[in-house]
Amino acid sequence: MESDSTAPALSDALAELIENYHELNASTIDELHNEPSPLEFMHYVALNRPFVVRGATSRWTATRKWNAAYLREIMRGQMVNVAITPLGNADSPVQITSGDREDTLFVKPLEVQEAFEDVLEYISKQELEQRDGEIKYAQTQNDNLRGEYTPLASDVQDIPWVRIALEKDPEAINFWLGNSRSVTALHKDNFENIYCQVIGQKHFVLMPPIEMPCVREKELPGATYAQNPESGKLEIKLDEESNTVPFPTWDPDVPERSTTAFSKLSRPLRVTLNAGDMLYLPAMWYHKVSQSCSDEGLCCAVNYWYDMEFAGSFHSLCAFERSAALQIS
Amino acid sequence: MESDSTAPALSDALAELIENYHELNASTIDELHNEPSPLEFMHYVALNRPFVVRGATSRWTATRKWNAAYLREIMRGQMVNVAITPLGNADSPVQITSGDREDTLFVKPLEVQEAFEDVLEYISKQELEQRDGEIKYAQTQNDNLRGEYTPLASDVQDIPWVRIALEKDPEAINFWLGNSRSVTALHKDNFENIYCQVIGQKHFVLMPPIEMPCVREKELPGATYAQNPESGKLEIKLDEESNTVPFPTWDPDVPERSTTAFSKLSRPLRVTLNAGDMLYLPAMWYHKVSQSCSDEGLCCAVNYWYDMEFAGSFHSLCAFERSAALQIS
């Protein structure tokens, strides 16, 4: 037990962890047809495992009423923040070539303030008329439903079984509006996440936190899209502070590129949310999200972020696994 | 991030894990004055953190009635299994010297069947009259309350908040009877454990599973105490199968001996249970247990073992930490 010959090498131990996890856990996402009780929900939180509740929000005003006309009417005159990118790639790794050097940057979108009705029309027309051009996505993730989108806030409901189980209110409620051109790159958040689809569909690819060694995390220099003052085109500008962002560079939909020795052990879970469906996306799960539109060319969702629990051993153990994985990357 | 210079060495990462855990978790055991609800209990299970409920079982028949006379009466004529050791050290590491060689063995007690009233009298008299001689401990841990001790089983109660929260009945309910000479060596079990003190006191030293690198786990050859047919004395006999048992060899009460590089980072939690108190001892927590007696020279407890949850990531991550720790031991 004390010699190198019996103790497996660190990379074997990481591979064993991933394989062990998959042996002990389901290869599909649980589908519930009723909302869980607080105690049933705590079982999922304790396991850090996702589930979908089909039709959970079908009676919410948002699910019943939100469409292009309703949103335009209620939000008339409101200015909102919109993320603009050339490829629908807000907050994602972008490979750039300068001379014979290739670099991957973490690129944030150009953020502008626009009238909501203009954003809505742009997103919808681009989808329905298959127009080229910049991609717009309302996706601020700063509790915007209780900020810019306050007029819509009373159309969604409190989720009592989450509030009771976690003994807290949501830290943020976020409104998302975009079309099928936008894709959210694989990433993770330190929040317990309840994701409610309102219009159109969202397609999730999910990976548990213990698959960190699979995603080829790199320290990426930060950059932002900016409009070239002459051409008007979007260009990538390196951020002035020389900060870097640790970010996955493996894409579960292009699994042969940017791999690690562990990527082949990943078993991504896939699920599509329809309008009225709810997803519990546990803290620290990797997720990549793409979308399909309603016949009005819209995809709209609301999600609830609750502070995750840092006590206990889960967060500390994940941080340890990450340290170990970075040592052999 | 990808070079050895920025990634901390594995032993730094293990030290960081232990320090991180202590920063994020309390340095004391929660004390409740009422039994928790199933949901409150699930919070502790999710965190894998212990708590004590003072006086939780004070109304149980066991707590109110069990004493030497009652136990003798109800158990009259029953034969029971008793563990016999020279030092009160059932199931514990023992250092032996043969020639100039030192070895540590994992030594199990001599197990014999005796009439319960004889065991009770021996344990009590040894304590009260400070007699030397072999130490006896009724401690079979095989659901004995519903086996050998069936006549006493109706004196303890179902624990509804555990059954409802974990959605299962106990796998085993164990009866323990001994005196202050017996000490249970530091070890861990793959069970969620509810420990109820009935007579006397139990003194627990507790360490979380992530402190595995602190306990100097070794593969110890298995052995058993046996009576020398001539002298009648207890001797250690190596088991015939050449099996080994992975077992902690660090003792939090003798912290300068058998250390690892991490032992100094351990922060053992200590708690004493009085008659009527209940301890939630979470799965995989290391525990060392010693005892004090009632004025009848007895220490008696009942504990409930519930199968732990192997799904989720907790068990897999602990196994990974152990693999990593054994690589540098």
Side-chain angles (χ1 to χ4, degrees):
Chain A
M1 225 48 179
E2 294 195 336
S3 74
D4 271 3
S5 56
T6 51
L10 184 56
S11 94
D12 287 353
L14 282 165
E16 227 172 81
L17 162 57
I18 299 167
E19 286 166 344
N20 243 336
Y21 179 87
H22 290 308
E23 262 169 46
L24 294 168
N25 289 279
S27 56
T28 54
I29 296 176
D30 281 6
E31 300 228 352
L32 314 183
H33 291 276
N34 292 296
E35 291 175 83
S37 71
L39 180 59
E40 287 163 343
F41 177 56
M42 264 315 286
H43 283 144
Y44 284 94
V45 175
L47 291 176
N48 188 250
R49 290 286 301 180
F51 62 83
V52 165
V53 192
R54 297 294 179 193
T57 70
S58 54
R59 274 178 260 178
W60 288 14
T61 305
T63 315
R64 288 187 294 108
K65 296 207 170 163
W66 288 6
N67 58 27
Y70 182 91
L71 293 174
R72 192 183 304 115
E73 177 61 25
I74 303 282
M75 286 288 291
R76 188 180 301 283
Q78 298 277 335
M79 297 296 284
V80 298
N81 180 294
V82 62
I84 306 187
T85 57
L87 305 163
N89 55 333
D91 298 332
S92 72
V94 176
Q95 273 206 350
I96 57 159
T97 317
S98 47
D100 54 355
R101 198 177 142 196
E102 280 213 339
D103 263 319
T104 305
L105 306 178
F106 177 74
V107 185
K108 288 156 285 194
L110 170 65
E111 292 190 58
V112 299
Q113 294 290 116
E114 291 187 3
F116 177 78
E117 53 260 49
D118 295 343
V119 176
L120 182 77
E121 191 183 345
Y122 184 96
I123 288 171
S124 162
K125 279 208 172 150
Q126 183 177 55
E127 183 75 20
L128 296 177
E129 302 172 6
Q130 303 196 7
R131 290 189 191 177
D132 288 335
E134 296 162 345
I135 318 295
K136 296 190 179 182
Y137 197 5
Q139 57 121 37
T140 30
Q141 303 165 63
N142 61 354
D143 200 26
N144 62 1
L145 188 65
R146 298 184 289 195
E148 296 169 336
Y149 295 90
T150 299
L152 295 169
S154 61
D155 292 350
V156 306
Q157 294 184 15
D158 171 48
I159 308 172
W161 42 273
V162 181
R163 174 176 38 78
I164 293 166
L166 302 184
E167 296 179 330
K168 57 185 80 147
D169 288 313
E171 189 58 27
I173 307 180
N174 301 313
F175 174 93
W176 306 75
L177 181 71
N179 63 27
S180 68
R181 308 288 179 95
S182 282
V183 174
T184 303
L186 191 74
H187 72 287
K188 65 187 162 89
D189 305 301
N190 282 342
F191 291 104
E192 304 289 359
N193 195 341
I194 301 283
Y195 209 99
C196 305
Q197 191 61 24
V198 184
I199 302 174
Q201 294 181 315
K202 280 253 157 81
H203 313 287
F204 284 84
V205 185
L206 303 179
M207 297 164 52
I210 61 99
E211 285 193 2
M212 183 272 162
C214 308
V215 304
R216 197 176 175 100
E217 181 182 304
K218 286 189 183 173
E219 285 290 329
L220 304 181
T224 308
Y225 281 115
Q227 214 137 24
N228 181 303
E230 283 159 30
S231 69
K233 281 198 174 164
L234 290 174
E235 297 177 337
I236 291 174
K237 277 193 69 171
L238 259 180
D239 294 345
E240 296 198 357
E241 327 85 69
S242 58
N243 60 333
T244 61
V245 179
F247 208 82
T249 63
W250 184 64
D251 181 340
D253 292 325
V254 194
E256 66 286 356
R257 275 225 303 264
S258 190
T259 57
T260 69
F262 306 100
S263 302
K264 62 181 182 296
L265 300 177
S266 172
R267 295 200 200 157
L269 301 176
R270 288 166 203 275
V271 67
T272 289
L273 295 194
N274 299 304
D277 293 347
M278 188 186 264
L279 169 68
Y280 167 53
L281 175 54
M284 298 181 70
W285 272 64
Y286 294 97
H287 49 294
K288 177 184 174 181
V289 192
S290 53
Q291 34 198 2
S292 306
C293 291
S294 69
D295 55 14
E296 294 188 312
L298 298 176
C299 184
C300 183
V302 170
N303 84 299
Y304 295 67
W305 264 347
Y306 300 82
D307 285 335
M308 74 170 283
E309 183 58 80
F310 290 90
S313 48
F314 176 64
H315 188 268
S316 304
L317 281 167
C318 286
F320 167 66
E321 183 197 2
R322 179 171 176 271
S323 289
L326 290 175
Q327 281 178 39
I328 57 171
S329 70
Chain B
M1 225 47 179
E2 295 196 335
S3 75
D4 271 6
S5 56
T6 51
L10 184 57
S11 93
D12 287 352
L14 282 166
E16 228 171 82
L17 162 57
I18 298 167
E19 285 165 345
N20 243 337
Y21 179 88
H22 290 307
E23 262 169 47
L24 294 168
N25 289 279
S27 56
T28 54
I29 296 175
D30 281 7
E31 300 228 352
L32 314 183
H33 290 275
N34 291 296
E35 291 174 84
S37 70
L39 180 59
E40 288 163 343
F41 177 56
M42 263 316 286
H43 283 144
Y44 284 94
V45 175
L47 291 176
N48 187 250
R49 291 285 301 179
F51 63 83
V52 164
V53 192
R54 297 295 178 193
T57 69
S58 53
R59 273 178 261 175
W60 288 15
T61 304
T63 315
R64 288 186 295 110
K65 295 208 170 161
W66 288 6
N67 58 27
Y70 182 91
L71 293 174
R72 192 182 304 113
E73 175 62 25
I74 302 281
M75 286 289 292
R76 188 181 301 283
Q78 297 278 335
M79 296 297 286
V80 299
N81 180 295
V82 63
I84 305 186
T85 57
L87 306 162
N89 56 333
D91 298 331
S92 72
V94 177
Q95 272 204 350
I96 56 159
T97 318
S98 48
D100 53 357
R101 199 176 143 195
E102 279 214 338
D103 264 318
T104 305
L105 306 178
F106 177 74
V107 185
K108 287 155 287 191
L110 169 65
E111 292 190 58
V112 299
Q113 293 291 117
E114 292 187 1
F116 177 79
E117 54 258 50
D118 295 342
V119 176
L120 182 79
E121 189 183 346
Y122 184 97
I123 288 172
S124 163
K125 279 209 170 146
Q126 182 176 56
E127 182 75 20
L128 297 177
E129 301 172 7
Q130 302 195 11
R131 290 190 190 176
D132 287 335
E134 297 162 347
I135 318 295
K136 298 190 180 184
Y137 197 5
Q139 56 120 36
T140 29
Q141 302 164 64
N142 60 354
D143 200 27
N144 62 1
L145 188 65
R146 299 185 288 197
E148 295 170 337
Y149 296 89
T150 299
L152 294 169
S154 61
D155 292 349
V156 305
Q157 293 185 15
D158 172 48
I159 308 173
W161 43 272
V162 181
R163 175 175 39 77
I164 292 166
L166 302 184
E167 297 178 330
K168 57 186 77 146
D169 288 312
E171 189 59 26
I173 307 180
N174 301 313
F175 173 93
W176 306 74
L177 181 72
N179 63 26
S180 68
R181 307 288 178 96
S182 282
V183 174
T184 303
L186 192 73
H187 72 287
K188 65 188 162 89
D189 304 302
N190 282 341
F191 291 102
E192 303 290 359
N193 195 342
I194 301 283
Y195 209 99
C196 304
Q197 190 61 25
V198 184
I199 301 173
Q201 295 182 313
K202 279 251 156 81
H203 314 286
F204 284 84
V205 186
L206 303 179
M207 297 164 53
I210 62 100
E211 285 193 1
M212 182 270 160
C214 309
V215 305
R216 197 176 175 100
E217 180 183 306
K218 287 189 182 174
E219 285 290 329
L220 304 181
T224 307
Y225 282 113
Q227 213 139 24
N228 181 303
E230 282 159 29
S231 69
K233 280 198 176 167
L234 290 174
E235 297 177 337
I236 291 174
K237 276 193 72 171
L238 260 181
D239 293 345
E240 296 200 356
E241 326 86 69
S242 59
N243 60 332
T244 62
V245 179
F247 208 82
T249 62
W250 185 64
D251 180 341
D253 292 325
V254 193
E256 66 287 355
R257 273 224 306 262
S258 189
T259 58
T260 70
F262 306 99
S263 301
K264 62 181 181 298
L265 300 177
S266 173
R267 295 200 201 157
L269 301 176
R270 287 166 204 275
V271 68
T272 289
L273 295 194
N274 299 304
D277 293 347
M278 187 187 266
L279 167 68
Y280 167 53
L281 175 55
M284 297 181 69
W285 273 63
Y286 294 97
H287 49 293
K288 176 184 176 181
V289 193
S290 52
Q291 36 198 0
S292 306
C293 290
S294 69
D295 54 13
E296 293 188 314
L298 298 177
C299 183
C300 182
V302 170
N303 84 300
Y304 295 66
W305 265 346
Y306 299 82
D307 284 334
M308 73 170 282
E309 182 60 79
F310 289 90
S313 48
F314 176 64
H315 188 269
S316 304
L317 281 167
C318 287
F320 167 67
E321 183 197 1
R322 178 171 177 271
S323 288
L326 291 175
Q327 280 179 41
I328 58 172
S329 70

